[in-house]
């Protein structure tokens, strides 16, 4: 749920677990450490969440069709593109969970609440603007767009805490890895052979992990 009983989305359970995992530790560190040490920890935490969010996004993208077919049957396979397009929602949703947890840990719950209200407002505006034009695809776009707005707003509230150059670097690596993984998945195409279908899921994930390791981002996250 967003805020105090707002909307629920497909990333809700994952987001809640992420916040629950990092919030107590971060709050204790904020009390005990010097500001510079806290800033370093926050940077590493958010960068790690960016990498994890990218992996979840790519995993949802490559599993979209099997999930749709498994839940609704072969007749709905053509609609898997909606889940693929909406998978980027998880990238922003999980990043929002990390930024929101940081604001809560440093005692700025008011900024977090204001950001959530802005996100809800963005959702309403985008739904009204997009759904009449493109239907379900517009609803997916509104959901993704509102989370992007929320990431930007929370990021601005944390501009004195985050080191933007570091996060841009990690975000670019995650974006490139997701893009290449998606291309690998799509290049395999609609293969009926079981081995190829498995490869269409496994290879993109391996590509993402390999790019993360080669860039150094993955190694840094594991060490952290």
């Amino acid at each position: 749920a967003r805020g105090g009983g707002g909307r629920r989305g497909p990333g809700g359970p994952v987001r809640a677990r992420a916040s629950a995992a990092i919030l107590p530790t971060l709050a204790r560190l904020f009390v005990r450490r010097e500001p510079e040490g806290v800033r370093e920890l926050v940077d590493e935490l958010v960068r790690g969440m960016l990498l994890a969010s990218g992996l979840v996004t790519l995993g949802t993208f490559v599993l979209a069709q099997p999930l749709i077919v498994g839940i609704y049957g072969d007749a709905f396979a053509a609609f898997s593109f909606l889940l693929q397009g909406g998978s980027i929602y998880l990238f922003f949703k999980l990043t929002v969970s990390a930024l929101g947890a940081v604001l809560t840990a440093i005692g700025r719950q008011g900024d977090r609440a204001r950001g959530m209200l802005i996100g809800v407002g963005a959702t309403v505006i985008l739904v009204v603007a997009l759904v009449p034009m493109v239907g379900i695809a517009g609803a997916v776009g509104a959901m993704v767009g509102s989370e992007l707005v929320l990431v930007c707003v929370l990021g601005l509230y944390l501009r004195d805490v985050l080191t933007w150059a570091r996060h841009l670097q990690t975000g670019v690596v995650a974006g490139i890895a997701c893009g290449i993984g998606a291309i690998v998945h799509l290049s395999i195409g609609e293969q009926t052979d079981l081995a190829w279908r498995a490869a269409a899921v496994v290879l993109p994930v391996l590509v993402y992990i390999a790019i993360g390791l080669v860039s150094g981002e993955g190694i840094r996250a594991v060490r952290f």
Side-chain angles (χ1 to χ4, degrees):
R2 174 178 282 179
R7 76 180 186 204
R8 291 187 179 273
V14 178
R15 177 190 175 196
R17 290 188 180 95
S19 296
I22 65 178
L23 183 54
T25 300
L26 191 57
R28 287 196 299 269
L29 292 173
F30 177 71
V31 171
R32 296 176 182 176
R33 292 207 176 197
E34 294 296 322
E36 192 58 37
V38 172
R39 182 171 183 172
E40 183 71 23
L41 287 168
V42 168
D43 278 335
E44 293 302 314
L45 171 66
V46 176
R47 293 173 74 188
M49 184 61 77
L50 285 172
L51 284 178
S53 299
L55 185 58
V56 171
T57 298
L58 180 61
T60 303
F61 183 89
V62 301
L63 288 171
Q65 185 167 339
L67 285 173
I68 293 294
V69 171
I71 296 172
Y72 299 105
D74 292 332
F76 290 85
F79 292 96
S80 60
F81 77 95
L82 292 172
L83 182 55
Q84 288 179 324
S87 63
I88 194 172
Y89 166 84
L90 293 174
F91 183 86
F92 296 130
K93 191 73 170 178
L94 294 175
T95 304
V96 163
S97 72
L99 297 178
V102 171
L103 283 170
T104 299
I106 64 177
R108 292 167 60 179
Q109 294 90 336
D111 287 340
R112 179 178 183 176
R114 281 186 286 272
M116 296 299 176
L117 289 175
I118 293 172
V120 171
T123 301
V124 174
I125 293 171
L126 290 171
V127 166
V128 171
L130 297 178
V131 171
M133 291 190 297
V134 288
I136 296 177
V140 174
M143 184 174 65
V144 173
S146 66
E147 290 300 319
L148 174 58
V149 169
L150 186 51
V151 166
C152 294
V153 171
L154 296 183
L156 286 174
Y157 281 135
L158 286 167
R159 61 186 178 276
D160 56 339
V161 178
L162 302 178
T163 305
W164 289 103
R166 295 180 179 180
H167 296 90
L168 179 60
Q169 174 184 322
T170 304
V172 168
V173 170
I176 291 173
C178 280
I180 295 177
I183 291 172
V184 171
H185 172 75
L186 295 174
S187 66
I188 294 177
E190 297 291 333
Q191 300 288 339
T192 57
D193 184 78
L194 182 60
W196 278 109
R197 292 170 64 181
V201 173
V202 175
L203 286 180
V205 173
L206 293 178
V207 167
Y208 185 95
I209 294 173
I211 292 175
L213 294 175
V214 170
S215 68
E217 291 291 330
I219 295 174
R220 177 201 53 75
V222 170
R223 286 176 177 172
F224 173 70

